[in-house]
Amino acid sequence: MIKIGLLGCGRIGQVHAKTIAQTEGAKVAAVADAFTAPAEALAAQNGAVTLTSEELIASTDVDAVVIGTPTDTHYDLIHAAAQAGKAIFCEKPVDMSSDRIRDCIKAVEKAG
């Protein structure tokens, strides 16, 4: 069972949570959002825990992350998740700068 952490519990996070719930062998294990209410609601719907982004990325109970936060947060979250050894799915656009996107790709490649 792959345990997935959702970063961002707005509209797109909810879409991804529904998809994960319908995927055999996967479950939403943890959620994080800048706003408490959407995170708690999505966690309750999926039997997940609510954590901060930092706690979610560091959690040994999370194998992979879905980044569904605002674009300007993707760069730092990708780097942190890669460094923590997580598999990463990031919503588009990864960033507004092609140089920063290439830097994200390098960080993921370096992390293996």
Side-chain angles (χ1 to χ4, degrees):
M1 174 74 60
I2 187 166
K3 298 171 282 184
I4 300 172
L6 289 175
L7 297 167
C9 298
R11 182 186 56 80
I12 199 64
Q14 294 171 30
V15 169
H16 288 300
K18 286 178 186 175
T19 302
I20 294 164
Q22 296 172 10
T23 304
E24 188 175 332
K27 74 173 189 170
V28 177
V31 300
D33 195 277
F35 299 99
T36 304
E40 290 176 348
L42 197 57
Q45 291 170 3
N46 289 277
V49 297
T50 304
L51 303 171
T52 66
S53 295
E54 294 82 6
E55 291 169 337
L56 189 152
I57 290 169
S59 176
T60 57
D61 291 327
V62 172
D63 303 312
V65 296
V66 172
I67 301 173
T69 56
T71 301
D72 64 347
T73 66
H74 293 175
Y75 180 90
D76 291 334
L77 292 172
I78 289 168
H79 279 79
Q83 187 174 11
K86 305 296 184 200
I88 303 165
F89 175 87
C90 184
E91 269 299 324
K92 62 183 185 340
V94 170
D95 197 89
M96 300 306 289
S97 160
S98 58
D99 288 337
R100 286 170 56 98
I101 293 169
R102 281 190 284 278
D103 194 38
C104 287
I105 292 168
K106 288 177 187 173
V108 171
E109 288 174 343
K110 180 179 178 185

